[in-house]
Amino acid sequence: MASRPIVFVSRSLPPAGINLLNTECDVRVWPTDSNITRQGMLDGVRGGVDAIVCHPPDKVDTEVLDLAGYKLKVIGTMSVGLEHLDLPEIRKRGIKVGYTPNVLTDATAEMTMALLLATSRRLQEGFSAVHEGGWGTWGGGMYLCGKQITGSVVGIVGLGRIGLAVAMRLQPFGVSQFLYSGNSAKPWASDVNAKFVKFDTLLQQSDFVIACCSMNAQNKGLFNKDAFSKMKDSAIFINTSRGVLVNQEDLYDALKSGKILAAGLDVATPEPLPKDHPLKTLKNCVITPHLGSATTQARNLMAELTAKNVLAGLKGEALPSPVP
Ligand SMILES: O=C(O)[C@H](O)CO
């Protein structure tokens, strides 16, 4: 009987994925839910594997590929982000790569909405007033007053799948205008009547600035002192994309000094953010632990699609969701 292919999985995988892989493969899984160590990654593939399942930030680079050996046919990342993969090197070796766009769009858009509402309606301050004391009253009519979405200008940096899904969810709130910036105008912008503008114009005119773009070599630290200085003092900044888009020292200064009103971050650098990180001391900064795709539905769909990508790659078939 031919031996079953070996798959190394660099973090615990939801049941929909692991069960599927187990039907046809011998699966080795990094045993904890914490980020895999570099040594864990190297040891996991050492001796040769037929497939790797991973997730950012688990790096798959030359060293990992060399240890995985000539049998490696396919890499399935359970993410839409690809920054952990050395794609040119992987391609050079003829290894197929699958990823999981689309299935996490709704979940990530919902998370963006959650942060938008949590920051605009000051929920963090409200929760702590309820639980830790200080539950105020009417307070001259202005106790814990927030900022309304209705009538606002919303700027979306990166009107891709997730950006569009956010705009569609915001439309019924009565947003007065959507602006977006990016590399090029998008035909689907007309679905939400969004106007393509320069990044600076978006910063200057938006009441809410939402980062939905994927990370690339050009946009590291895009949201820096210069960018925050162009925003309205009443602006709220939301990031559900990647922490590296933001210069966190500059964001801290902008929030602390009142240069912008508030921020909602689902991503940070590093993750997890250290216990004593200055951003955690700010009541106008709501931080969640990278929960964008964290719904049971999305995670199971991501795991299942990843497993299907891997199984197809092992059989030499076209992947259901190949990296373009
Ligand atoms: O890249 C992604 O898919 C998300 O960040 C998943 O967690």
Side-chain angles (χ1 to χ4, degrees), residues 3 6 31 65 81 93 107 119-120 132 162 171 211 224 251 289 297 306:
S3 62
I6 300 171
L65 295 170
R93 298 176 187 223
T119 46
S120 63
E132 285 151 33
I162 295 171
Q171 234 175 359
N224 56 15
L251 175 61
Q297 293 92 330
T306 304

Side-chain angles (χ1 to χ4, degrees), residues 156 158-159 177-186 189 193-199 201-202:
I156 299 179
L159 194 73
Q177 172 80 66
F178 288 108
L179 305 176
Y180 73 103
S181 66
N183 293 335
S184 58
K186 306 291 182 222
N193 204 14
K195 189 170 157 199
F196 185 50
V197 293
K198 291 203 166 76
F199 181 58
T201 309
L202 181 147

Side-chain angles (χ1 to χ4, degrees), residues 55 79-81 104 242 290 293:
H55 182 279
S79 65
V80 68
L104 48 67
R242 285 293 185 262
H290 203 142
S293 63

